[in-house]
Amino acid sequence: MSLTFLLIDDDEIERLKFARVLDKNDYPHKIIEAKNGEEALDVLAQKDQQPDIIFLDLNMPKMNGLEFLKELKSDTSLQYIPVIILSTSNNHQDLKEAYEIGAAGYIVKPLKYEEYTHKIKCLIEYWSVNELLKA
Amino acid sequence: MSSDDIEILKRAIQREKLARKQAEKILEDKSRELYLITQELKKTNEKLEDQVGKKESELQGVFDNLLDAYVRMDIFGNVLEMNYAARNLFGYDITEEKLNVVKLIYKDDYKYAMASFQELVTKGSFSDYQARVYTKENGIRTVHINASLIFDKNKTPIGAQGIVTDITEELKQKQIFEEQKKQLSVIVENSSLGIVLAQFGKIVQTNKAFQNLLGYTAEELLKKEVKDISIKDEYEAVAENLEKMNTGIIDSFSVNKRYVKHNGSSFWAKTNIAAVRDHDGNIKYQVAFIEDITEQLKVEKQRDQLVKNLEKTNQELKDYAHIVSHDLKSPLRSINALVNWIKEDHIDTLDKTGVHHFTMIENTLEKMETLINNILSYSSVSNKDNLQTKEIDLNILIGDLKKIILIPDHIKISIKKKLPVINGDMTRIQQLFQNLIGNAVIYTDKEIGKIEIDYEDKKIHHLFSIKDNGIGIKQEHHEKIFKMFQSVGDNENSSGIGLAIVKKIIDLYEGDIWLESELGKGTTFYFTLKK
């Protein structure tokens, strides 16, 4: 089953990393990229390409991750899309806030690329066996 | 002689006889009259004597009953009479021994006494003589005397009399009263608090401090009412409390209010007002103590501002460390990924040296990340937001740590005494032990490494020690090592933050840390944590 991911991250290399994991593992999934929350909301406004899962960075200019998450969760047509946080912070406060707003998962980005690959693979495999609500 | 002559003679004799008879009769009459008068006089005299005696005894009674002493003396100063009070006062009884007033004069007052006596002699009296006298028992009393001369019918002075009042006690009381008054006024005048006595809103007394505070003289203030030196709105608030005081609900109250100075400016003062009541509980005066708190308020305001600024700065710093640390990590991750891709994609064209260099880049990145993580944890040690205090069994904690810290086979960690269960934040306490034990492991250079953990229960603190047989630390570094980035070893795994974090955690638990070390033999770190 092919899934559509919305990856929201301002860092180009982070976006490259994610794409490379999909590419190297021959996953059939599709990625839509957004550089920040605003851009992501624009993407979501186009009803023809709704993502199945959103991967969200927290530290971003303009609209940061948590602000975007709040917007999303207040939109009845979008609130059931699972959002996985990709963060550099394992700060308890950040974690708590993310889950409170309604994050479906929280990944701390590791330094080592191999570890990153491993985590993303696990994530994708987990979510590809889940039943998801189609918008 | 003729018969005529005889006749004449006879008639003459006859006339003479008749005259004598008449004279005798007159004499007789007069004698009788005299007798009668004498008798009458005698009677009157007796009556008078009786009356004098009566008066005298009456007077004696008055003298004796006089509260004041009465003394009568002759012109030589010999005392002729003393009443009961006089005998009592001087202790002499002149019926038993003679007494001259000179004997009574206190030696220092002699001159004055003589001058007064001179006044008595020349003017006939003196009043308000006040001096000290000796009593028979060598006591000294202070007396007040009014005296006057006594004259005979020829206006010749024959003596003097005086009323003597013992004012010793009165003077003493007066002195005590004056002394107390003086003491009180010293306190009032030297008080740094302004003090005001008011009666129905009218100022009746002020002290120097209050006059200085307001820039008025004492006299100027006496013409004022409290409301004249108050600010209208504030005076009304005070009036409410004054009413409560008048009705007896309260006896005193404290209020912060402003006072208007002579120059029109005003200042803030803490004012304590207390009621001074009479026997019936009615307010006689209000006494107010005024403390200028302008400076105090200013300082308080400054302090509040400072605290606010500090809180803001602190929060900014926390955020700063947090953000910077995470922003610093992102490029590291990117570099790591890029290095990996180059290795993956170009493994065939890379030689051994190239691969080695890439590995070195990766190691450097790891070190950099450790450093950032340490800074992050250092800055979050004192962040009370994430402090979760619970019971920690240190025996379990050390057991867990042995699995986390990579301990080489040649190093043995032993716990010499059962460790206590303490209250603290798990993350921090674990970091504390982890850093210290980790250091001990890193700096062990012996073939067999020995790390010993010991504990002692002090009343207020827990005392721990961690002893190693490693390389030791030079005396001059003992202070330095607890400071940020002050790694003194040449170990490449040392970031120079570990002990700074340790120190900060110990500070958090109001403890202390110190060490004993011998170069080449080992180091013992001691630290305390408040229970």
Side-chain angles (χ1 to χ4, degrees):
Chain A
M1 185 182 63
S2 169
L3 293 169
T4 304
F5 302 138
L6 171 59
L7 173 64
I8 313 168
D9 202 319
D10 60 316
D11 190 331
E12 193 195 348
I13 296 175
E14 287 297 329
R15 297 198 299 271
L16 281 173
K17 275 162 73 181
F18 193 87
R20 188 169 168 113
V21 174
L22 292 196
D23 182 47
K24 290 282 170 187
N25 292 284
D26 295 325
Y27 288 125
H29 312 307
K30 191 184 162 214
I31 314 174
I32 310 166
E33 290 180 3
K35 290 192 191 85
N36 56 53
E38 271 179 4
E39 232 184 87
L41 286 176
D42 287 344
V43 171
L44 289 168
Q46 300 161 25
K47 298 288 175 193
D48 57 317
Q49 44 172 357
Q50 293 292 298
D52 299 297
I53 296 165
I54 298 173
F55 291 95
L56 176 65
D57 180 31
L58 284 187
N59 290 331
M60 286 181 301
K62 289 189 183 173
M63 180 186 273
N64 74 31
L66 290 177
E67 281 164 359
F68 168 80
L69 190 58
K70 273 180 208 154
E71 284 279 317
L72 186 85
K73 291 297 164 185
S74 62
D75 187 326
T76 47
S77 63
L78 302 171
Q79 61 180 327
Y80 297 113
I81 306 175
V83 178
I84 320 294
I85 308 289
L86 297 177
S87 169
T88 51
S89 163
N90 59 356
N91 182 292
H92 175 77
Q93 203 56 39
D94 291 343
L95 218 91
K96 194 170 164 240
E97 216 177 335
Y99 278 117
E100 267 169 5
I101 301 171
Y106 195 108
I107 301 292
V108 177
K109 297 180 202 166
L111 173 73
K112 289 186 179 165
Y113 179 67
E114 303 99 79
E115 281 176 36
Y116 175 81
T117 316
H118 171 71
K119 282 189 177 184
I120 299 300
K121 270 168 74 183
C122 290
L123 257 182
I124 290 171
E125 270 154 33
Y126 166 79
W127 282 106
S128 38
V129 295
N130 269 285
E131 295 300 326
L132 299 166
L133 276 172
K134 285 286 171 193
Chain B
M1 195 162 93
S2 71
S3 67
D4 281 353
D5 289 343
I6 292 167
E7 209 39 45
I8 290 165
L9 277 171
K10 265 186 180 174
R11 274 197 305 246
I13 290 167
Q14 199 63 39
R15 274 202 303 267
E16 200 194 304
K17 262 186 183 168
L18 200 73
R20 187 174 295 161
K21 249 186 191 157
Q22 271 176 342
E24 271 173 7
K25 189 169 184 303
I26 288 167
L27 198 68
E28 252 174 48
D29 283 353
K30 288 287 169 195
S31 291
R32 200 180 303 118
E33 229 175 270
L34 198 69
Y35 175 77
L36 283 173
I37 287 168
T38 311
Q39 285 299 312
E40 217 169 283
L41 265 171
K42 227 176 173 180
K43 247 194 223 160
T44 313
N45 221 10
E46 269 170 17
K47 220 166 149 187
L48 268 172
E49 267 174 17
D50 195 37
Q51 272 184 352
V52 168
K54 232 160 126 191
K55 283 288 168 206
E56 265 185 1
S57 75
E58 266 179 30
L59 262 174
Q60 194 64 46
V62 170
F63 288 150
D64 281 345
N65 287 324
L66 254 180
L67 279 174
D68 289 329
Y70 171 81
V71 174
R72 188 160 64 83
M73 62 180 193
D74 62 20
I75 47 170
F76 307 107
N78 294 310
V79 176
L80 303 175
E81 194 176 353
M82 293 174 107
N83 70 346
Y84 177 74
R87 288 197 296 274
N88 234 358
L89 169 58
F90 295 109
Y92 290 98
D93 186 349
I94 50 164
T95 59
E96 284 171 11
E97 55 184 319
K98 285 192 169 172
L99 173 65
N100 192 290
V101 289
V102 176
K103 198 175 174 186
L104 300 173
I105 299 168
Y106 184 74
K107 65 175 185 341
D108 289 350
D109 291 347
Y110 190 80
K111 249 188 181 167
Y112 169 58
M114 285 303 124
S116 298
F117 186 71
Q118 205 53 45
E119 191 187 332
L120 174 67
V121 172
T122 53
K123 291 188 182 163
S125 71
F126 67 71
S127 52
D128 289 336
Y129 170 83
Q130 189 176 315
R132 286 158 289 182
V133 293
Y134 293 115
T135 66
K136 195 182 176 187
E137 284 82 24
N138 288 323
I140 296 163
R141 312 292 291 178
T142 307
V143 293
H144 172 274
I145 302 174
N146 285 337
S148 57
L149 282 177
I150 305 170
F151 300 95
D152 68 1
K153 60 183 176 198
N154 298 321
K155 308 272 185 196
T156 310
I158 51 165
Q161 59 182 358
I163 301 283
V164 186
T165 316
D166 184 357
I167 55 169
T168 315
E169 289 306 316
E170 192 185 314
L171 271 180
K172 207 192 265 169
Q173 289 302 326
K174 213 167 144 189
Q175 235 167 28
I176 292 172
F177 179 73
E178 285 296 326
E179 187 63 31
Q180 284 177 344
K181 211 172 134 188
K182 220 163 97 188
Q183 288 170 350
L184 195 68
S185 83
V186 164
I187 294 171
V188 170
E189 276 308 302
N190 291 307
S191 165
S192 61
L193 293 178
I195 301 176
V196 176
L197 197 66
Q199 197 167 33
F200 309 116
K202 184 109 190 57
I203 295 171
V204 270
Q205 189 77 261
T206 57
N207 72 341
K208 194 105 206 95
F210 189 69
Q211 292 149 20
N212 290 343
L213 277 175
L214 270 78
Y216 283 111
T217 64
E219 293 72 32
E220 285 170 330
L221 283 170
L222 290 182
K223 289 177 202 143
K224 299 217 169 281
E225 298 200 10
V226 177
K227 67 172 195 280
D228 297 334
I229 51 167
S230 302
I231 283 171
K232 194 171 168 272
D233 297 350
E234 289 166 9
Y235 185 72
E236 276 163 14
V238 175
E240 206 173 285
N241 273 316
L242 281 176
E243 186 51 38
K244 270 192 205 164
M245 207 154 78
N246 285 337
T247 49
I249 299 171
I250 52 171
D251 249 347
S252 66
F253 64 93
S254 178
V255 66
N256 282 355
K257 69 187 283 285
R258 275 175 292 177
Y259 288 91
V260 182
K261 291 193 197 184
H262 190 214
N263 64 14
S265 65
S266 64
F267 65 93
W268 277 100
K270 184 182 175 191
T271 305
N272 282 306
I273 300 172
V276 181
R277 297 183 194 277
D278 63 12
H279 287 300
D280 302 327
N282 296 319
I283 290 182
K284 223 174 149 191
Y285 299 109
Q286 285 111 12
V287 60
F289 300 91
I290 292 110
E291 184 185 1
D292 184 354
I293 53 169
T294 316
E295 276 303 305
Q296 199 180 323
L297 287 180
K298 212 164 105 191
V299 170
E300 264 172 34
K301 208 171 155 191
Q302 275 174 351
R303 199 189 52 200
D304 284 351
Q305 191 58 46
L306 218 66
V307 167
K308 231 180 248 167
N309 286 349
L310 246 167
E311 274 171 5
K312 203 172 152 232
T313 315
N314 239 346
Q315 188 55 46
E316 276 172 2
L317 260 172
K318 261 188 232 164
D319 293 348
Y320 182 77
H322 192 79
I323 291 164
V324 165
S325 301
H326 288 110
D327 287 354
L328 284 175
K329 276 183 174 182
S330 288
L332 296 187
R333 275 198 318 274
S334 298
I335 297 168
N336 190 287
L338 291 167
V339 167
N340 266 277
W341 296 343
I342 298 170
K343 277 200 323 194
E344 271 176 25
D345 299 345
H346 307 282
I347 193 73
D348 303 333
T349 53
L350 279 174
D351 63 0
K352 232 175 134 190
T353 322
V355 173
H356 179 61
H357 285 163
F358 276 123
T359 310
M360 278 172 80
I361 293 175
E362 282 174 322
N363 288 342
T364 311
L365 290 175
E366 261 178 70
K367 232 164 147 181
M368 187 78 187
E369 207 207 17
T370 311
L371 190 63
I372 293 168
N373 281 340
N374 282 338
I375 294 172
L376 207 58
S377 58
Y378 179 82
S379 71
S380 67
V381 163
S382 52
N383 181 4
K384 298 254 162 65
D385 295 344
N386 58 8
L387 197 70
Q388 288 171 314
T389 302
K390 56 181 180 184
E391 283 192 350
I392 303 165
D393 186 336
L394 290 177
N395 301 289
I396 297 172
L397 184 128
I398 300 291
D400 291 343
L401 273 182
K402 282 185 192 168
K403 290 170 205 156
I404 295 170
I405 304 170
L406 193 70
I407 300 167
D409 290 340
H410 70 284
I411 296 174
K412 202 165 158 45
I413 297 177
S414 58
I415 299 174
K416 290 183 79 180
K417 199 181 285 169
K418 190 172 186 291
L419 299 176
V421 175
I422 65 168
N423 283 312
D425 176 76
M426 188 60 158
T427 317
R428 288 171 175 81
I429 298 295
Q430 181 177 324
Q431 183 147 43
L432 168 63
F433 280 94
Q434 184 174 339
N435 288 7
L436 285 171
I437 296 169
N439 272 354
V441 172
I442 291 170
Y443 292 107
T444 290
D445 57 348
K446 307 292 183 300
E447 260 178 55
I448 295 168
K450 273 197 251 173
I451 297 169
E452 290 173 355
I453 301 170
D454 202 358
Y455 168 71
E456 210 176 307
D457 189 353
K458 299 282 182 192
K459 270 182 188 146
I460 306 163
H461 290 91
H462 299 288
L463 170 65
F464 298 94
S465 65
I466 295 171
K467 185 182 177 182
D468 65 56
N469 60 344
I471 59 172
I473 301 166
K474 278 188 197 161
Q475 178 71 38
E476 65 247 44
H477 292 149
H478 286 193
E479 297 261 331
K480 208 174 155 190
I481 51 171
F482 294 110
K483 292 191 177 128
M484 197 72 165
F485 302 121
Q486 295 285 351
S487 178
V488 294
D490 48 10
N491 191 297
E492 58 184 31
N493 291 324
S494 168
S495 66
I497 303 177
L499 284 175
I501 294 174
V502 163
K503 174 84 173 87
K504 218 172 171 191
I505 295 170
I506 286 167
D507 284 346
L508 188 69
Y509 289 102
E510 292 166 61
D512 214 344
I513 183 163
W514 66 97
L515 62 128
E516 285 168 7
S517 184
E518 203 176 324
L519 270 181
K521 292 215 168 152
T523 305
T524 309
F525 278 94
Y526 297 92
F527 65 95
T528 57
L529 300 175
K530 199 175 179 189
K531 284 183 184 176

